[in-house]
Amino acid sequence: SKRISIRNLNKFYKDFLALDRLNIDIERGEKIVILGPSGSGKSTFIRCFNRIEPHDSGVLMIDGKVIDDKTDLTALRGNVGMVFQNYNLFPHLSVLDNCTLAPRLVRKTPRADAEAAAHRYLTQVGIDEQAAKYPIQLSGGQQQRAAIARALCMNPEIILFDEPTAALDPEAIAGIVSIIQDLAAQEITTICVTHEMGFARRIADRIVFMDKGSILEIAPPEEFFTTP
Ligand code: ADP
Ligand code: ADP
């Protein structure tokens, strides 16, 4: 079943065309990696999925629903989670409280239920022992895992990753690879911007290659990385 359907998506910054007629369908549970030079529109593209950047024309549909200026952004951003490059954890909250804040405030989930769910997701990403710590007390890889757990606490069907492996060592990257594979097994769709070719090759079902705001190629990694 098609999770996401995109037709002729355009995005302008003033009169600069940042996204130029993008077209792609993405299936439930698919792992998409977006590659391309700096400034090619990768971040802008994934930010359209949760409307941090509203597109200007074309159609973006998620689960058969058109995403536009009438979309309930709170519901959309619950369904389309995002893991930011710099993690964006709240520094004054423990890892556990980072995870429970949105479910409690946005979903009105009782604290005990939110905490039980948070512990499950922190266990899934392997950092439940760090639940009481503050972000600054964690390594980069642990902060990345905390950011993923925090996104999972809203039960999203889609998770966007902006450069998830930037500043991580190979061991931490291997951890993120296995978490993303876990998410796919749970039918969560992942869309991931990266510069790391090895990471892209390991996780992608399909690679989307962008340049100057356009999609130049969409192909599985074994095809994409084949040298002619
Ligand atoms: P990438 O993620 O591939 O590095 P971006 O999506 O960040 O590319 O940027 C695509 C282009 O849009 C770049 O030329 C960038 O300078 C421009 N751009 C990004 N965000 C803004 C903005 N808020 N205002 C104006 N131009 C922007
Ligand atoms: P990334 O490569 O992750 O997109 P950037 O350094 O390109 O990071 O952008 C960081 C922030 O600056 C983003 O919020 C982006 O929207 C904004 N930005 C990028 N390019 C421009 C630009 N030309 N004018 C205004 N804002 C921009």
Side-chain angles (χ1 to χ4, degrees):
S1 55
K2 252 179 236 154
R3 159 73 63 221
I4 300 166
S5 185
I6 290 171
R7 292 290 175 275
N8 295 319
L9 195 80
N10 288 320
K11 164 78 188 172
F12 289 88
Y13 292 114
K14 302 237 168 67
D15 54 2
F16 171 73
L17 181 60
L19 300 179
D20 185 2
R21 285 167 295 164
L22 305 188
N23 285 283
I24 187 170
D25 288 331
I26 299 171
E27 305 291 324
R28 183 193 296 264
E30 219 184 340
K31 297 186 258 59
I32 297 289
V33 168
I34 305 177
L35 292 175
S38 185
S40 58
K42 305 180 300 294
S43 287
T44 300
F45 184 30
I46 64 166
R47 284 161 193 256
C48 288
F49 288 90
N50 58 359
R51 232 174 143 73
I52 291 179
E53 293 288 0
H55 59 278
D56 291 297
S57 62
V59 179
L60 164 61
M61 283 177 59
I62 298 180
D63 288 331
K65 281 190 231 140
V66 171
I67 305 304
D68 61 16
D69 56 6
K70 295 184 238 13
T71 300
D72 174 349
L73 292 183
T74 305
L76 175 67
R77 289 174 191 168
N79 191 38
V80 185
M82 183 148 186
V83 177
F84 294 90
Q85 180 169 2
N86 52 7
Y87 319 130
N88 279 15
L89 294 166
F90 306 114
H92 58 292
L93 295 181
S94 69
V95 168
L96 185 67
D97 290 344
N98 263 277
C99 288
T100 60
L101 189 68
R104 287 169 50 218
L105 295 188
V106 178
R107 296 261 167 87
K108 313 295 179 202
T109 307
R111 179 190 284 270
D113 296 349
E115 289 189 350
H119 282 301
R120 276 203 309 280
Y121 292 120
L122 288 167
T123 301
Q124 182 184 343
V125 302
I127 57 158
D128 196 42
E129 318 79 75
Q130 322 294 331
K133 290 191 181 164
Y134 286 80
I136 199 169
Q137 298 175 288
L138 305 184
S139 71
Q142 290 171 333
Q143 289 184 47
Q144 180 68 281
R145 287 158 183 256
I148 295 170
R150 183 176 62 176
L152 287 171
C153 283
M154 292 295 275
N155 285 312
E157 297 184 89
I158 300 164
I159 302 190
L160 312 171
F161 293 86
D162 201 349
E163 302 273 359
T165 63
L168 297 188
D169 60 39
E171 201 181 327
I173 291 176
I176 301 300
V177 167
S178 85
I179 290 167
I180 290 178
Q181 284 163 345
D182 251 25
L183 300 182
Q186 297 166 61
E187 299 244 286
I188 296 174
T189 307
T190 57
I191 303 170
C192 188
V193 168
T194 186
H195 285 113
E196 299 275 343
M197 299 298 166
F199 176 73
R201 188 197 284 260
R202 271 191 287 168
I203 68 156
D205 294 317
R206 286 186 298 159
I207 288 172
V208 174
F209 184 79
M210 295 185 68
D211 192 20
K212 300 190 178 74
S214 298
I215 293 177
L216 298 191
E217 188 178 357
I218 302 174
E222 56 277 16
E223 241 173 76
F224 183 85
F225 288 108
T226 298
T227 44

